[in-house]
Amino acid sequence: MTVKVEITVNGESTSADVEPRLLLAHYLRDQLGLKGTNVGCDTTSCGACTVLLDGESVKSCTVLAVQADQQSVTTMEGLSSDPENLHPVPAAFRAEHGLQCGFCTPGMVMAAVSLLEENPKPTEKQVREGLEGNLCRCTGYHNIVRAVLAASGQDPDKAEGSEPDVVAPGFSTGSGA
Amino acid sequence: MSIMGTRVRRVEDPVFLTRGATYTDDLTDERLSGALHLTFVRSPMAHARITSVDATAAREAPGVVAVITAEEMDLEPTKHFPAVPDAMARPWLAKDVVRFVGEPVAAVLTEQAYQGEDAAELVEVDYDPLPVVTTLKQAATDETLLFPEAGTNFAVPSFGNDDFSDDLFEGCEVVVTREIVNQRVAAAPLETRGAAAAWGEDGRVTLFLSTQNAQQSKGEVAGWLGVDPAQVHVITPDVGGGFGAKIGADPEFALVAWAARHVKRPVRWNESRSENMTGMLQGRAQLQTITIGGNRDGKVLAYRLDVLADAGAYPRIGTALPTFTRMMAGGVYDIPKVETRARVLVTNTTSTGAYRGAGRPEATAAIERAFDLFAAEIGMDVAEVRKRNVPPPDAFPFTNKGGAQYDTGEYAKAIDTVLEAGGYQALRAEQKARRERGDVMQLGIGLSCFVEITAGGMAAEDATVEVHADGTVTVLTGTSPHGQGHATAWAMLASEKLGIPVEKITVKHGDTDLIPKGVGTMGSRSLQSGGVAVYNAAGELADLAKQRAAELLEASVDDLEVAEGEVRVAGTGTGITLAQLAEKDQLRVETHWDQQLPTFPFGAHLAVVELDTESGKAVVEKIITIDDAGTILNPLLAEGQRHGGIAQGIAQALLEEVVYDADGNPLTATFADYGIPSAAELPSFTLLTMETPTHLNPIGAKGIGEAGTIGATPAVQSAVCDAVAHLGIRHIDMPATPLRVWEAINAAQNGTATTNGSDA
Amino acid sequence: MIPVGFAYERPSSVDGALALLAEHGEEASVMAGGHSLLPVMKLRLAAPELIIDISKLSELSYVKVDGDEVAIGSGTKHRTVEASEVLAAEAPLLAAVARTVGDPQVRHRGTIGGSLAHADPASDLPAAVLALGGTVVLRSPRGTRSVPITEFYTGVFSSVKEPDELIVEIRVPRTGGAGWAYEKFTRRANDWAVVGVAVVDGRVGLVNMGQTPLRATATEEALAAGASIADAAALADQGTEPPEDLAGTREYRRHLARVLTKRALTTAAGG
């Protein structure tokens, strides 16, 4: 069986008859030819396929295309008008050398866009925890974190030193009676 | 002003950050139109006899064009490491026996990718289980043989079996020995393996491969297919990380090419992550016995390293890597007597190969652990013991006991620099205070000092530089990036000599028709081999331009200089652009560069962990690293290499391990189970730099790709051990997971821990 | 990897979903955010014949005060729970625990109902609802029933929910200013809890300490009888038989439960 979907992708209407099991990532890649969105794992772990669905970051390998019907998707291809005019987040990734092989980059950039939407001036710790759903094997995250801080208008050199605390020793949260 | 040493932003990035890079699975090349999708049926058993393979139902499934089993294959099983017994050859598709979980048994070709997974499930394979060998000690007994015809599990029976002397530690006041594990890890590049093949009517195959070296892959695949290398055209699109595991061709690549010829249609294959975690070469996997002897004044007199290394089921490049471990066994130290042995065994696991450092991190981890154990035994500070045993700067070139000649080194200075930057004395004071208070959160401080061999083995590359009539430049290189930024760095090298801005310089790589000669990117070799070749070619091109311009300008060559893309008569306004020269006659230079010898970058890492003694969890609070990789071409790129290396080093020390159960089932075959760290598990890194130029090449550069991993791994492991040293713990194997640390604490408190130290 | 093929229905109302469930029963699976179900379908560990997509049923997405309780629609996303001002004031534990689920992308998609229905003892939210003493509201064409969370789970991935039933609401008591804490122990931030301990108002919920989320009843009783935090926490693993895997042995998990309970109780007490 196939189902008709209509999804606005990077501002343009798209439509196709698809198998219900078609993953949104493959809809973008194979139906629309938007190859920027990469698939790096099978277990919703790596985040390389992260796109915005109605403005929020999601892993497009774990969303059925049919579930995105009548919704709006933004991929990295939709952020910048052209390579010489980069959106502030990818521009910061370039300035801070926040990418090497580039495979995690589209997902990382989209996760960062979503993170900054929810928290426009994050601390280093908040950036690190906010990107916990995206794996990078090349950069050690050092320059990715700097790029996100820079994209938020903060000086990464200062923000970096601002929080000497140990990052993420597990979650511990609470409030006294 | 020279562009060398400046932080030039990557020219790759504008495209990578808009439409994204183009990896093998992204290709829309017309040669691949109508390509079939190949899906492997892989063994779920670690060791079993195949009693039947029935593809009947699969052949009838929707979209299936062919199902290939061993029956259909006409390629002979092939050895993937020359020195191993013939019996250890690997079949392209398993026929009689499977020897690891993930071994290909059949290949399904379908019109659409989704159909492949459905059809692969319908291939019915019956297995009769055989006894499984998963550990090195099990393998070494030779009780269960993977290849009965070989008569042994030793991959190269004659190799590394040197006898040890009886008197190595004679005269030592203190001797410490211990068995330690350098665990198996997965390279796990974010882009999995991929290949696509299209045969032309001319009988040539175009093979798109995700690999670190196109030219080697071409030779390998041609050999496997039994065709003339001239019939194979390899193209490497953008490659999403390799870390050593994408060196050369994989057997699957030949299968893709073979299948495309078999069905007379283009075929493409892109593996899933689950497939990658059992199919791609894995790294490290050594069981080491270290013994160190010396005197109570801190002088180490003798060191022995005995290695059992795991080749996995079918020996590949991992079989060779313990050779590097042996060569670099003595590390940065001047130890009078060093003995090593390395024996390589087959087990029912994924084959091993290079992973960032490839043999050298294993050497460093062993000697650095040995120094810590020795320091603990004689009650001396770990930094002090190290400094008492390193050769002074005037001892270089220094030949170590493994026969390697270190070009330059200032090891004590590297140690002192990280100690000072880290506030070592203050850290020790803080540690002491926490211990005295009995804090739950303890501090651990780990130090490592390392030297590594870069561009070992093969230090030659070719390069071509051509200036075009429109003023642009094309650079051809045999090295092949997968994240390192060659397009930027090589353009800088050409720009330096030609004065043409990097934006006008295009670097091409990874196309064997365009660039027939090349070795590739691995072993931290690219800049000092391929990069220097480009630098030299550009220099030669500048000289050629001067010669041609001399006639046209009626000037002496000696009075000419090349700047800003122009040949000028020094001190005058007269000149001619390189573009104008190119318009008259092709302006192109091809050159060969052979450094002949490897270089030996070095450095030191100081890691500070905070360890929760109740849960056993250690977190890296800071890591301060110094690297001397000679002259730095582009600090932005060099730092990026160090960052990534440090992260992988921390990951091996604390998180990552490929684990098999006793039946050979991989327990870590997804990213949910395998412990790759995210940003939340890592700190920002503190990088310090020393730049001692090597005299072996004209730009003074050594390799930088692997140093971070080599230094960080032992520093962090050491820091974890140090955090619990006051409880009587001397050693915790990697990865020092919370469970493992807690068990060590528990054992120490119950008095069951051993220090394995003994006064001689 | 991709799921086995399935048929797909997207009903426009809860009643429509219930009618489909009644018709197809065990062959059908309900999918909301899909973040529990789709991963297992991709690994082909589950292969429902029909997916009933309720992700767009806005009638299931709400957080509101209802008498002495807060009512949360089952289709409410983790991110909404995490950011809910109502929960921050009335049941802050639940918002805080939602913040520890998966990663931001997962929280943008996964729902509280889906998390509870999946019945994974390693999930954070079931133990939080358990500590809160909450209730699961189930609907089917046969009617609506409320099941106390203490009676909801029957084992790993299993509950008393019948094949024709849909979780439509989760209700938790308004705990307001009562002390609370959540201690989640992981190797990596994004991993499942090795062990988690949720504490609120003297009640203790345990994550990944058995076949189902559990209450540390011995600890709760000791606290009620006036024991010190240290003494009460030392009983946290009583009666548990936690799973063993690469992240933890049984003994380690029991130890962690005691340590984390002590920490959570201390935090909840304002320490």
Side-chain angles (χ1 to χ4, degrees):
Chain A
M1 94 181 251
T2 59
V3 178
K4 184 175 168 126
V5 295
E6 294 176 341
I7 306 173
T8 302
V9 178
N10 298 332
E12 292 183 17
S13 322
T14 70
S15 171
D17 291 315
V18 302
E19 270 191 279
R21 64 172 169 168
L22 182 70
L23 303 174
L24 178 59
H26 294 132
Y27 177 80
L28 297 169
R29 288 180 56 80
D30 301 333
Q31 300 278 335
L32 306 183
L34 293 170
K35 306 283 190 182
T37 300
N38 295 317
V39 177
C41 76
D42 309 319
T43 47
T44 327
S45 307
C46 79
C49 64
T50 300
V51 300
L52 304 186
L53 183 60
D54 285 349
E56 290 184 325
S57 61
V58 300
K59 295 182 177 180
S60 64
C61 74
T62 312
V63 177
L64 299 173
V66 288
Q67 292 191 294
D69 185 32
Q70 307 303 325
Q71 290 186 261
S72 162
V73 171
T74 308
T75 71
M76 187 179 70
E77 289 99 323
L79 288 183
S80 308
S81 53
D82 66 76
E84 302 311 315
N85 290 292
L86 294 175
H87 173 280
V89 172
F93 270 68
R94 183 173 187 218
E96 297 295 334
H97 187 33
L99 66 157
Q100 291 182 28
C101 84
F103 197 87
C104 77
T105 306
M108 196 68 83
V109 163
M110 299 317 288
V113 168
S114 186
L115 165 66
L116 293 175
E117 180 71 27
E118 287 171 11
N119 184 358
K121 286 271 180 282
T123 63
E124 178 188 340
K125 186 169 191 277
Q126 288 168 337
V127 172
R128 289 185 176 277
E129 291 181 350
L131 297 177
E132 65 179 302
N134 293 74
L135 298 178
C136 168
R137 198 57 162 164
C138 295
T139 65
Y141 307 100
H142 183 102
N143 284 344
I144 290 174
V145 173
R146 287 178 61 90
V148 178
L149 290 169
S152 75
Q154 305 181 77
D155 178 348
D157 288 322
K158 289 188 183 143
E160 229 175 88
S162 67
E163 226 170 332
D165 288 346
V166 173
V167 172
F171 294 90
S172 181
T173 178
S175 134
Chain B
M1 200 186 78
S2 173
I3 196 171
M4 308 277 278
T6 64
R7 305 176 75 85
V8 175
R9 291 176 183 177
R10 296 210 315 179
V11 300
E12 293 90 334
D13 293 356
V15 167
F16 278 29
L17 286 162
T18 47
R19 67 161 168 75
T22 302
Y23 307 102
T24 300
D25 195 40
D26 299 339
L27 290 167
T28 50
D29 192 288
E30 62 179 20
R31 286 166 282 194
L32 296 175
S33 61
L36 298 172
H37 294 266
L38 188 150
T39 306
F40 284 106
V41 177
R42 292 179 179 271
S43 170
M45 307 285 288
H47 198 193
R49 194 165 297 287
I50 296 174
T51 53
S52 75
V53 180
D54 182 356
T56 316
R59 289 196 170 100
E60 285 162 13
V64 173
V65 172
V67 178
I68 300 162
T69 66
E71 290 292 318
E72 284 80 25
M73 288 290 295
D74 58 4
L75 297 181
E76 285 302 307
T78 302
K79 292 196 289 182
H80 292 265
F81 190 76
V84 304
D86 291 346
M88 293 186 184
R90 173 174 166 155
W92 298 94
L93 293 169
K95 189 171 185 188
D96 304 316
V97 176
V98 288
R99 294 184 178 84
F100 69 99
V101 171
E103 182 167 359
V105 178
V108 176
L109 295 166
T110 53
E111 297 287 352
Q112 294 166 20
Y114 275 32
Q115 294 165 337
E117 221 169 297
D118 295 341
E121 279 200 331
L122 300 174
V123 177
E124 287 183 23
V125 187
D126 288 333
Y127 299 98
D128 194 2
L130 292 167
V132 174
V133 180
T134 58
T135 70
L136 286 161
K137 284 184 176 171
Q138 249 181 310
T141 66
D142 271 345
E143 279 170 17
T144 297
L145 297 178
L146 269 73
F147 303 92
E149 284 174 36
T152 179
N153 288 324
F154 287 87
V156 187
S158 62
F159 167 108
N161 255 323
D162 317 19
D163 286 335
F164 285 140
S165 55
D166 296 330
D167 59 354
L168 190 73
F169 296 98
E170 221 163 72
C172 294
E173 291 171 6
V174 174
V175 178
V176 190
T177 188
R178 167 152 225 136
E179 186 177 278
I180 62 173
V181 175
N182 203 295
Q183 82 273 25
R184 176 186 285 256
V185 291
L190 260 280
E191 185 210 12
T192 56
R193 294 175 298 167
W199 291 84
E201 289 183 0
D202 57 359
R204 296 186 81 217
V205 62
T206 304
L207 204 47
F208 300 89
L209 302 177
S210 180
T211 173
Q212 297 176 211
N213 38 10
Q215 292 81 7
Q216 180 186 326
S217 300
K218 167 182 156 172
E220 285 176 335
V221 174
W224 295 338
L225 293 175
V227 302
D228 183 340
Q231 279 181 269
V232 179
H233 177 196
V234 170
I235 296 172
T236 56
D238 291 322
V239 174
F243 312 108
K246 287 183 183 168
I247 293 174
D250 268 11
E252 283 92 339
F253 295 176
L255 269 158
V256 170
W258 186 91
R261 190 173 61 185
H262 184 67
V263 296
K264 300 183 173 61
R265 297 219 358 218
V267 170
R268 57 200 306 169
W269 166 66
N270 186 69
E271 70 179 347
S272 69
R273 178 59 59 186
S274 306
E275 203 179 354
N276 175 269
M277 293 298 282
T278 56
M280 178 181 241
L281 290 173
Q282 297 176 340
R284 312 283 190 261
Q286 290 190 2
L287 180 65
Q288 305 171 325
T289 304
I290 50 177
T291 311
I292 186 167
N295 289 342
R296 294 196 170 275
D297 65 0
K299 185 63 194 162
V300 172
L301 301 173
Y303 174 63
R304 175 181 286 161
L305 173 63
D306 191 5
V307 174
L308 288 181
D310 194 341
Y314 296 98
R316 291 179 61 188
I317 190 176
T319 315
L321 299 177
T323 308
F324 282 128
T325 310
R326 297 182 67 189
M327 182 191 289
M328 300 304 291
V332 293
Y333 307 106
D334 184 5
I335 304 174
K337 292 187 283 183
V338 176
E339 278 186 1
T340 64
R341 175 169 76 169
R343 292 169 296 166
V344 186
L345 290 144
V346 291
T347 61
N348 291 117
T349 62
T350 297
S351 298
T352 60
Y355 172 60
R356 206 164 196 164
R360 293 102 83 205
E362 295 90 321
T364 305
I367 189 72
E368 291 301 286
R369 279 280 71 215
F371 263 74
D372 282 353
L373 294 172
F374 180 72
E377 195 63 27
I378 63 170
M380 189 177 279
D381 178 77
V382 292
E384 187 57 34
V385 173
R386 282 173 168 78
K387 289 199 290 183
R388 287 190 186 187
N389 288 283
V390 295
D394 61 12
F396 290 81
F398 173 83
T399 304
N400 80 2
K401 293 292 179 291
Q405 195 187 78
Y406 301 166
D407 50 348
T408 65
E410 278 201 72
Y411 305 143
K413 183 177 168 190
I415 291 172
D416 282 336
T417 308
V418 292
L419 294 183
E420 198 189 326
Y424 186 62
Q425 294 309 328
L427 287 169
R428 286 290 178 204
E430 167 71 13
Q431 179 181 56
K432 185 160 175 270
R434 291 195 193 194
R435 285 178 179 176
E436 282 169 358
R437 287 197 302 266
D439 284 5
V440 169
M441 300 303 281
Q442 287 290 325
L443 209 61
I445 304 156
L447 175 69
S448 75
C449 191
F450 70 92
V451 57
E452 66 143 332
I453 177 171
T454 64
M458 294 169 289
E461 280 286 352
D462 293 72
T464 301
V465 176
E466 179 170 4
V467 176
H468 305 288
D470 63 358
T472 63
V473 180
T474 300
V475 172
L476 305 182
T477 176
T479 53
S480 183
H482 35 287
Q484 295 86 349
H486 289 17
T488 306
W490 281 208
M492 289 171 71
L493 292 163
S495 174
E496 172 71 7
K497 288 291 186 188
L498 305 176
I500 292 173
V502 295
E503 294 75 23
K504 290 192 165 183
I505 302 172
T506 302
V507 178
K508 294 188 174 178
H509 57 82
D511 181 323
T512 59
D513 277 8
L514 190 64
I515 307 157
K517 283 163 73 180
V519 179
T521 294
M522 58 208 178
S524 302
R525 69 183 296 281
S526 274
L527 179 56
Q528 51 193 316
S529 56
V532 170
V534 170
Y535 181 79
N536 288 352
E540 289 170 29
L541 187 139
D543 290 341
L544 175 65
K546 281 197 273 188
Q547 281 166 19
R548 292 198 194 159
E551 280 178 42
L552 295 164
L553 298 173
E554 295 177 349
S556 157
V557 169
D558 294 341
D559 294 334
L560 297 179
E561 61 181 20
V562 176
E564 294 174 9
E566 197 178 20
V567 186
R568 292 172 182 160
V569 183
T572 73
T574 319
I576 183 167
T577 65
L578 297 173
Q580 286 169 324
L581 287 171
E583 207 171 344
K584 294 178 188 302
D585 204 358
Q586 189 186 44
L587 193 55
R588 172 188 169 108
V589 165
E590 191 175 340
T591 199
H592 177 76
W593 156 251
D594 189 352
Q595 184 172 275
Q596 296 191 337
L597 290 170
T599 55
F600 293 86
F602 62 92
H605 286 216
L606 183 71
V608 181
V609 304
E610 195 163 65
L611 189 146
D612 176 348
T613 52
E614 287 182 340
S615 71
K617 182 165 178 169
V619 174
V620 179
E621 195 172 351
K622 35 183 169 177
I623 184 159
I624 298 131
T625 76
I626 188 158
D627 273 289
D628 190 331
T631 311
I632 302 297
L633 171 62
N634 181 336
L636 201 63
L637 301 182
E639 287 160 11
Q641 288 298 307
R642 292 171 67 186
H643 293 150
I646 292 166
Q648 289 181 351
I650 294 173
Q652 184 180 5
L654 295 183
L655 288 162
E656 293 184 20
E657 180 173 29
V658 173
V659 183
Y660 293 90
D661 70 13
D663 296 323
N665 297 306
L667 303 179
T668 49
T670 70
F671 274 2
D673 297 308
Y674 186 74
I676 294 178
S678 78
E681 283 75 54
L682 297 170
S684 286
F685 313 130
T686 305
L687 306 188
L688 308 167
T689 302
M690 282 165 73
E691 290 190 62
T692 313
T694 180
H695 55 275
L696 292 173
N697 66 61
I699 62 172
K702 306 183 184 186
I704 191 74
E706 296 157 298
T709 316
I710 294 170
T713 309
V716 173
Q717 181 185 18
S718 183
V720 173
C721 299
D722 183 60
V724 290
H726 63 297
L727 305 175
I729 295 165
R730 292 266 173 98
H731 174 80
I732 298 170
D733 270 325
M734 300 187 294
T737 58
L739 171 62
R740 199 168 269 172
V741 172
W742 176 76
E743 285 180 334
I745 293 172
N746 235 8
Q749 284 165 348
N750 298 333
T752 51
T754 58
T755 59
N756 274 2
S758 63
D759 282 8
Chain C
M1 299 176 87
I2 45 102
V4 175
F6 51 80
Y8 174 83
E9 294 282 357
R10 190 195 305 146
S12 55
S13 67
V14 171
D15 288 339
L18 294 174
L20 284 163
L21 262 184
E23 186 186 340
H24 297 279
E26 287 178 5
E27 280 96 59
S29 284
V30 170
M31 183 179 288
H35 273 54
S36 298
L37 184 56
L38 250 181
V40 292
M41 289 171 65
K42 282 166 67 183
L43 296 172
R44 302 203 166 197
L45 301 172
E49 290 174 18
L50 171 69
I51 287 294
I52 302 169
D53 181 4
I54 60 165
S55 64
K56 292 183 197 291
L57 294 183
S58 55
E59 60 184 295
L60 289 175
S61 179
Y62 55 85
V63 180
K64 63 187 181 197
V65 172
D66 186 1
D68 292 339
E69 294 177 313
V70 182
I72 304 137
S74 63
T76 309
K77 288 172 181 165
H78 302 317
R79 170 64 190 163
T80 308
V81 172
E82 171 188 344
S84 160
E85 285 178 18
V86 171
L87 285 169
E90 304 293 346
L93 172 70
L94 198 62
V97 172
R99 197 169 302 133
T100 73
V101 174
D103 52 48
Q105 293 97 316
V106 168
R107 298 198 287 277
H108 286 147
R109 201 65 202 148
T111 65
I112 187 168
S115 179
L116 263 61
H118 191 54
D120 183 343
S123 282
D124 305 290
L125 285 165
V129 175
L130 190 66
L132 284 160
T135 307
V136 180
V137 182
L138 299 160
R139 256 180 75 188
S140 73
R142 298 175 286 120
T144 301
R145 62 174 178 143
S146 291
V147 180
I149 186 92
T150 47
E151 294 164 20
F152 185 69
Y153 292 109
T154 55
V156 179
F157 304 128
S158 69
S159 69
V160 300
K161 185 174 75 64
E162 298 290 340
D164 66 346
E165 284 182 313
L166 181 69
I167 299 179
V168 290
E169 190 174 86
I170 292 88
R171 301 178 72 86
V172 295
R174 296 167 67 181
T175 56
W180 61 273
Y182 185 53
E183 288 282 341
K184 178 177 183 176
F185 188 80
T186 59
R187 290 186 297 179
R188 298 178 296 173
N190 201 14
D191 284 336
W192 297 97
V194 181
V195 175
V197 177
V199 163
V200 59
D201 205 11
R203 290 185 302 273
V204 182
L206 303 175
V207 178
N208 214 7
M209 284 298 291
Q211 306 273 305
T212 65
L214 297 172
R215 286 271 285 271
T217 46
T219 297
E220 293 176 1
E221 285 164 12
L223 283 173
S228 70
I229 284 177
D231 289 347
L235 306 172
D237 61 316
Q238 250 192 28
T240 62
E241 281 199 39
E244 296 215 315
D245 55 29
L246 288 178
T249 58
R250 183 161 295 164
E251 196 188 354
Y252 181 54
R253 282 202 162 86
R254 294 176 68 139
H255 166 79
L256 279 179
R258 298 192 295 267
V259 168
L260 300 177
T261 300
K262 181 185 69 185
R263 292 179 181 182
L265 287 172
T266 304
T267 304

